[in-house]
Amino acid sequence: MQKDKGLALKIAAVSTAVVLVFLVFFIGILFSKTSSARSVFAEEPVDKNYHVLVVGQSERADFVNQVFEGVNSQSSRYKAIVELKSPDSLAQDLSLQSLIDYAQYVNADGIIAFVTPQSKSISPVSRIDGTEIPLITIGHYIPDISQVSFIGINYSSLGRKIAMESKSILSAEGTNYIVISSNNSNPNTGNLINSISSFYKTEGISNYELLDKSPAENEERIREIFTGENSARDSIICLTEDDSMMVLQIAGALSLPGRTKILGFGDNETISIYLEKGFLSKLISLDAFKIGVRAMTELFEYRNTGYANSYIGAEFRTRSSSGGSTK
């Protein structure tokens, strides 16, 4: 009788364990399907102690992937498994909050998130033990987000970088047209332009003109520059990604690759294609790989000491139409 009772208890225990395993598996599958997002894991180190999550929406997938590669390059150093969580496509796009919520589901030790101007205030998430998961943000700064560190553009540094790179493509007989359309709402635009002007003044450069009208007015003026008699000696400097796209689309429609030197800013697939086809002389963009490296450093600095740099200027890289790249 005692043996039958013991056997029954063993059978009940095994049955309970099996049910729990299937329940956990089912919940995992359900979460995966409802999230409509993909997870990419970096190669797991032998002694994995930490789990770091990189998240971003599909509209900047290329940039987020490069950040992920930078984070992953530090995984062995910090004994961390690195996971990229992002939507499969624009059609399946999710809110940034839903991607960050996933960190709680996997009990992550840290989050590195790409934030866009369209992102709303993000609610913090916690680990199983109740401690808040530290968040490093990159891209666009939103002060309401509970972030331990932000890595983004230092506009004074960007202005100097643009001015230095534009100097090499400016002809003494031509004019340097600096495009910053008036629909730009960035409060740091003044710092950017002042930094460029200060560099030009130091270098004795005075043959430049600021195009700061509406997008329609700027577009009309740029067409005139492209088709003017002096176009081969002029250069156009774009301070935003939107203005870079506008200028390049006009150049593409007029089929004028390389006739007027263009310096662009931004990092998306379309702009890169224009660079490869010779429409751009130079392209300045954020160095996403180095941002990922720095984000990982700051995350573990915070985990180890409780402190991190609250605002960090991102590094830039410059690519030329000849395929060269400089920092």
Side-chain angles (χ1 to χ4, degrees):
M1 191 74 174
Q2 189 67 27
K3 289 183 179 179
D4 291 342
K5 184 177 181 180
L7 180 61
L9 288 173
K10 288 181 180 179
I11 292 173
V14 171
S15 299
T16 301
V18 171
V19 170
L20 286 173
V21 169
F22 274 102
L23 182 61
V24 170
F25 179 77
F26 174 75
I27 292 174
I29 292 295
L30 181 62
F31 185 93
S32 176
K33 287 184 177 180
T34 56
S35 70
S36 296
R38 65 190 176 100
S39 286
V40 178
F41 284 88
E43 185 176 347
E44 186 173 349
V46 176
D47 299 317
K48 175 262 177 185
N49 296 327
Y50 301 102
H51 185 173
V52 176
L53 190 66
V54 179
V55 300
Q57 293 168 290
S58 57
E59 61 197 49
R60 293 309 299 269
D62 290 343
F63 187 88
V64 175
N65 286 340
Q66 292 174 49
V67 172
F68 170 68
E69 293 299 329
V71 173
N72 179 39
S73 72
Q74 303 300 300
S75 60
S76 296
R77 177 182 179 184
Y78 295 107
K79 295 184 177 180
I81 183 170
V82 181
E83 179 183 0
L84 171 64
K85 190 72 173 178
S86 64
D88 291 318
S89 67
L90 284 170
Q92 298 176 322
D93 213 353
L94 300 169
S95 68
L96 185 60
Q97 182 67 61
S98 64
L99 294 172
I100 288 177
D101 288 343
Y102 174 76
Q104 188 168 29
Y105 169 74
V106 296
N107 202 35
D109 297 286
I111 308 167
I112 298 168
F114 181 82
V115 178
T116 68
Q118 291 73 39
S119 303
K120 305 299 182 182
S121 183
I122 303 301
S123 300
V125 292
S126 302
R127 288 172 47 80
I128 291 175
D129 60 9
T131 58
E132 186 175 313
I133 301 175
L135 171 66
I136 306 288
T137 60
I138 58 179
H140 182 74
Y141 180 67
I142 298 180
D144 294 336
I145 294 179
S146 178
Q147 54 212 331
V148 300
S149 186
F150 168 74
I151 304 176
I153 297 174
N154 179 309
Y155 285 89
S156 293
S157 297
L158 176 59
R160 182 172 177 81
K161 179 71 172 176
I162 288 173
M164 289 174 62
E165 295 294 345
S166 67
K167 179 185 174 183
S168 66
I169 65 173
L170 177 63
S171 167
E173 296 80 24
T175 302
N176 214 21
Y177 293 97
I178 303 172
V179 185
I180 181 72
S181 294
S182 58
N183 67 335
N184 176 55
S185 59
N186 192 327
N188 294 293
T189 298
N191 291 336
L192 179 61
I193 295 173
N194 288 340
S195 182
I196 295 172
S197 299
S198 178
F199 179 86
Y200 283 171
K201 183 177 181 179
T202 301
E203 296 295 316
I205 299 172
S206 59
N207 54 334
Y208 66 94
E209 179 182 330
L210 185 63
L211 303 183
D212 57 354
K213 306 299 183 183
S214 69
E217 290 173 296
N218 278 348
E219 182 175 340
E220 182 179 354
R221 183 71 182 97
I222 288 163
R223 288 182 183 277
E224 293 173 355
I225 294 167
F226 277 136
T227 56
E229 294 180 359
N230 209 36
S231 60
R233 291 182 291 276
D234 291 335
S235 60
I236 297 176
I237 312 303
C238 304
L239 305 188
T240 69
E241 189 165 282
D242 287 343
D243 282 330
S244 298
M245 284 298 302
M246 181 260 289
V247 170
L248 289 169
Q249 285 169 355
I250 295 172
L254 295 173
S255 299
L256 299 173
R259 181 173 176 179
T260 302
K261 293 182 174 63
I262 304 171
L263 185 149
F265 174 79
D267 192 7
N268 64 46
E269 186 177 349
T270 303
I271 292 179
S272 295
I273 291 172
Y274 277 111
L275 179 69
E276 293 170 4
K277 291 185 175 181
F279 285 90
L280 274 167
S281 297
K282 290 188 176 184
L283 176 62
I284 297 174
S285 60
L286 297 177
D287 194 322
F289 184 90
K290 286 190 175 181
I291 289 174
V293 172
R294 186 61 185 269
M296 193 70 153
T297 301
E298 292 301 320
L299 176 62
F300 279 89
E301 179 72 16
Y302 181 80
R303 287 197 60 85
N304 295 333
T305 68
Y307 299 97
N309 294 298
S310 58
Y311 191 101
I312 302 163
E315 293 191 50
F316 307 105
R317 65 170 179 161
T318 304
R319 286 176 286 166
S320 64
S321 57
S322 59
S325 178
T326 59
K327 304 301 181 183

